[in-house]
Amino acid sequence: MTKIDSITVDIIENALKNSKNEMDVTLFKAAMSPVIREQHDCFPMITDAEGNMVVGNFGSHVPEVVKQFPEGVQEGDVIFVSDPYTSGGSVSHVNDWMIILPIFYESTLVGYSSMFGHVIDVGGPVPSSMPVDARSIYGEGVRFPPVKLFAKDVLNEAVIAIIKANSRTPLENYSDLMALVASCRTAEKRVQEICSRFGIETYFAAMNAALERTNLMMRDLITKILPTEPVSFEDFIDDDGLGNGPFKMKLTIWREDDHAYFDWTGTDPQSPGPINYYLSEPMFKMFIGSFLISAFDPDINFNDGFYDVLHVISPKGTLMNPEFPAALGCRTHALSRMFDVLSGALSVNAPDSSPAAGYGTSPYFIFSGVDAKGDKFNLMEVQYGGLPGRPIGDGLDGHSWWPAFVNIPTEYLETYYPLIVDSYKTGTDSGGAGFYRGGNCNEKLYTILADGIVSIHDDRALIQPWGINGGEPGSCSSKTLIKQDGKRIHLASKIDDVKVEKGDQILFITAGSGGWGDPLDRPAGKVQSDVRRGLVSKEKALKSYGVYLNDYLELDEKQTEAIRAKIKVDRGTLESFNFGERKEQVHA
């Protein structure tokens, strides 16, 4: 085995990280769908020759896919897949298209590059291919099992023909697919350059060292933060869009020496509707590692080196491990809520060291129709919400769960789609009160400029994001159709085929997030600043924080001190978790 020093490992590891970033840039410049091009709903990865992720934003899915090609892979091959079930959960719904490209140097396989992105439409009964009333994956659009898009550099034209024939957005899909390929070819070129500079043996040794370093650091982290006695936590998804719910997600965690165990036993059976999440064991290990590293030790390089110290139990036929052909199109509610459950389980014994709950989903606004020029349009926009208060500071307002995701600029939306964004702001008082305030939600008001159809995907419309360590819960989400005559129509959080007319408005409000710590301990000057910035109302400042501000928003310290003292006496002991109140389902 080639010996290698830590400096060389750092140089090669950082070169690969830069290559991963270049993959993103290539994709953003070449893709056409705004959800990829503008919002960055994509995940790059570079692996070693065995398919272990060395750098990336997602866990490695390469071995599960590549083994389905008994003839193996050759130079010039490019693999394409969009089916969760035949790829072992490598992608989680059929809108996610994934490319895997084997990288060769001097005829030797040295690794793989991979990228997946969310394409706008893959067929099915509704625009954007995520029907909220789907009862099986057969009703969610065209899915591709692993297939060679290129075989020894020869394009499989039949795959392209199928793609174009089964989408409402054939041009965008084709462009996105080729952009994914270009992204992977960028990494291929960079890896070959690294191998040319250092040699294959040194390159292999550096990747092994990077994986081993992450393994050792993760073992140390596990022993510091996980309990030796099992602890459990539960949270709920509101409903499945078909009138069923709420759905419980239960997780039990513990450690044995420096190995961690995660058990989903007690989670509800799979849903009749499309909120199921086919969470393969490797993918869940990736999510666990991502969360632990981000929350507790960001210095650890995120790669597959820690997989052997994580152990997952996920009973078949449940929400987190559904059996084929369960519908999966709206799985982001379970995906995002998983982090709330994981955070809750980690905080049962130490609520002062973990964040509260966030908006807990991936809200979608989908608008399609024909514009004044007679051109078809299909917009799918990902919305964001409040990120939770945490031991180190306030939660982020109107932010994505995934750090790299961003919003579609208003100028882009208004240029390419028949709508006006009348306002786009954070929702006052939507973040739970706390020593560290929960992040506020997004409130977005659209005016529709062409008749069309709207679909909405969201959650936490009934069940609040919980507060922790004395913090209050965040606000629920809501959606309203405002007709031209001023009539306001409540919309369910999961709904398709909402007919809108030119001049109508849609008010899209996401959920906030929970606060961390006793609100009465938050410095009064910070509360005053929150009020002046429109993040907290004067009324909530008084009710939740005990801070008295006059009509000019000036702080009265004596009254504040007296009010806080009275609130402390009247309220009694604070609970570690504040789950708020569960709303009843409101029908349109």
Side-chain angles (χ1 to χ4, degrees):
M1 180 180 293
T2 301
K3 291 186 178 180
I4 189 168
D5 61 273
S6 61
I7 294 176
T8 303
V9 175
D10 287 341
I11 291 172
I12 292 177
E13 184 178 76
N14 281 288
L16 289 173
K17 288 180 179 178
N18 289 336
S19 301
K20 180 200 74 173
N21 294 336
E22 194 175 352
M23 292 174 72
D24 280 337
V25 173
T26 301
L27 180 62
F28 301 154
K29 288 183 178 294
M32 287 187 67
S33 299
V35 73
I36 296 177
R37 183 184 184 90
E38 301 295 331
Q39 298 206 272
H40 303 171
D41 189 351
C42 60
F43 294 91
M45 180 177 68
I46 301 173
T47 82
D48 64 12
E50 285 71 45
N52 301 303
M53 181 182 72
V54 181
V55 298
N57 294 346
F58 229 63
S60 180
H61 34 254
V62 169
E64 184 70 29
V65 173
V66 170
K67 73 180 183 182
Q68 298 188 45
F69 295 91
E71 76 278 15
V73 293
Q74 289 81 38
E75 289 190 67
D77 286 353
V78 177
I79 297 170
F80 167 52
V81 61
S82 71
D83 177 28
Y85 287 108
T86 59
S87 63
S90 303
V91 293
S92 57
H93 70 156
V94 295
N95 288 76
D96 285 340
W97 283 8
M98 183 168 68
I99 291 295
I100 298 174
L101 188 153
I103 302 173
F104 288 83
Y105 179 74
E106 295 181 345
S107 300
T108 299
L109 179 67
V110 296
Y112 296 84
S113 59
S114 180
M115 174 73 85
F116 82 71
H118 182 126
V119 299
I120 294 179
D121 186 278
V122 293
V126 299
S128 294
S129 311
M130 293 179 289
V132 300
D133 61 353
R135 288 167 171 79
S136 79
I137 200 167
Y138 294 117
E140 295 182 326
V142 177
R143 55 196 176 100
F144 286 88
V147 62
K148 289 188 178 179
L149 180 64
F150 288 84
K152 297 182 179 179
D153 289 323
V154 177
L155 177 62
N156 189 334
E157 297 284 358
V159 172
I160 301 301
I162 294 170
I163 286 172
K164 290 182 176 180
N166 287 279
S167 172
R168 299 170 179 85
T169 56
L171 176 61
E172 290 89 343
N173 282 17
Y174 175 76
S175 299
D176 292 347
L177 181 64
M178 291 306 158
L180 292 168
V181 175
S183 167
C184 291
R185 292 201 189 283
T186 298
E188 176 187 36
K189 182 179 180 180
R190 296 295 175 253
V191 168
Q192 290 169 343
E193 290 171 350
I194 297 170
C195 290
S196 176
R197 176 182 175 186
F198 291 95
I200 290 179
E201 295 304 321
T202 299
Y203 180 69
F204 285 167
M207 288 194 291
N208 289 334
L211 292 166
E212 177 62 22
R213 183 161 58 187
T214 293
N215 183 281
L216 294 173
M217 294 179 74
M218 183 61 78
R219 287 174 184 266
D220 182 61
L221 180 61
I222 287 170
T223 59
K224 290 178 179 177
I225 66 171
L226 262 65
T228 55
E229 294 296 323
V231 294
S232 300
F233 192 83
E234 301 174 358
D235 204 344
F236 295 82
I237 297 171
D238 289 351
D239 65 285
D240 67 348
L242 296 177
N244 306 299
F247 288 85
K248 180 174 66 176
M249 294 172 58
K250 180 179 179 179
L251 180 64
T252 302
I253 64 171
W254 72 94
R255 71 172 175 88
E256 296 176 9
D257 296 324
D258 55 3
H259 282 239
Y261 293 80
F262 302 84
D263 185 358
W264 285 103
T265 300
T267 294
D268 278 348
Q270 66 190 61
S271 161
I275 64 168
N276 303 291
Y277 184 34
Y278 180 40
L279 182 59
S280 67
E281 183 173 323
M283 293 299 283
F284 183 50
K285 288 181 178 181
M286 178 278 298
F287 285 127
I288 296 168
S290 175
F291 181 88
L292 295 180
I293 290 171
S294 299
F296 297 102
D297 193 351
D299 288 335
I300 299 177
N301 182 36
F302 178 46
N303 61 37
D304 286 0
F306 55 76
Y307 275 29
D308 67 319
V309 300
L310 305 181
H311 307 272
V312 179
I313 302 166
S314 186
K316 275 190 171 295
T318 61
L319 197 69
M320 305 301 285
N321 191 9
E323 296 189 274
F324 179 84
L328 309 173
C330 304
R331 86 285 179 232
T332 52
H333 311 308
L335 167 58
S336 300
R337 194 63 44 78
M338 176 184 67
F339 291 109
D340 288 340
V341 177
L342 179 58
S343 176
L346 288 167
S347 63
V348 167
N349 291 336
D352 58 335
S353 63
S354 292
Y359 69 102
T361 183
S362 187
Y364 294 154
F365 171 68
I366 300 167
F367 175 39
S368 60
V370 179
D371 64 19
K373 298 178 182 179
D375 296 328
K376 294 180 180 179
F377 63 88
N378 187 6
L379 167 66
M380 197 209 82
E381 181 183 12
V382 183
Q383 299 280 5
Y384 308 128
L387 293 191
R390 52 220 162 114
I392 61 171
D394 293 343
L396 302 178
D397 302 306
H399 203 282
S400 171
W401 267 112
W402 302 104
F405 282 23
V406 296
N407 67 297
I408 301 178
T410 295
E411 296 82 359
Y412 185 101
L413 289 172
E414 295 182 341
T415 298
Y416 292 103
Y417 300 97
L419 54 75
I420 294 173
V421 179
D422 295 277
S423 65
Y424 185 29
K425 60 184 180 180
T426 186
T428 302
D429 290 343
S430 53
F435 179 78
Y436 289 123
R437 179 181 57 81
N440 281 347
C441 71
N442 276 345
E443 293 185 2
K444 199 162 191 176
L445 179 64
Y446 305 87
T447 293
I448 303 301
L449 299 182
D451 294 356
I453 300 294
V454 164
S455 291
I456 288 170
H457 292 218
D458 204 356
D459 200 64
R460 285 216 185 274
L462 307 177
I463 300 173
Q464 293 178 266
W466 39 268
I468 196 170
N469 196 38
E472 294 183 358
S475 65
C476 287
S477 65
S478 67
K479 314 292 175 289
T480 306
L481 170 62
I482 306 171
K483 301 298 291 182
Q484 297 176 64
D485 62 4
K487 182 181 179 182
R488 301 172 72 93
I489 303 171
H490 170 81
L491 301 177
S493 63
K494 303 170 185 66
I495 190 169
D496 284 325
D497 297 323
V498 178
K499 291 180 173 57
V500 292
E501 299 174 303
K502 182 178 179 180
D504 289 347
Q505 292 184 306
I506 296 284
L507 178 59
F508 196 116
I509 301 177
T510 61
S513 63
W516 183 97
D518 188 346
L520 299 184
D521 291 336
R522 185 173 177 85
K526 282 191 174 183
V527 179
Q528 179 188 30
S529 175
D530 290 339
V531 174
R532 287 177 169 174
R533 295 166 61 201
L535 301 174
V536 175
S537 68
K538 180 183 172 185
E539 293 73 24
K540 185 166 183 173
L542 181 63
K543 179 181 178 181
S544 295
Y545 291 97
V547 173
Y548 183 84
L549 304 173
N550 65 21
D551 292 340
Y552 301 99
L553 302 186
E554 296 170 335
L555 175 64
D556 187 319
E557 294 185 1
K558 283 190 174 181
Q559 286 212 53
T560 294
E561 185 177 343
I563 292 168
R564 285 184 161 184
K566 184 177 187 306
I567 291 175
K568 283 186 178 182
V569 172
D570 293 343
R571 74 182 181 188
T573 304
L574 291 175
E575 299 290 335
S576 295
F577 296 91
N578 186 338
F579 294 95
E581 297 179 358
R582 180 176 299 177
K583 294 184 179 180
E584 297 298 325
Q585 180 69 60
V586 179
H587 299 281

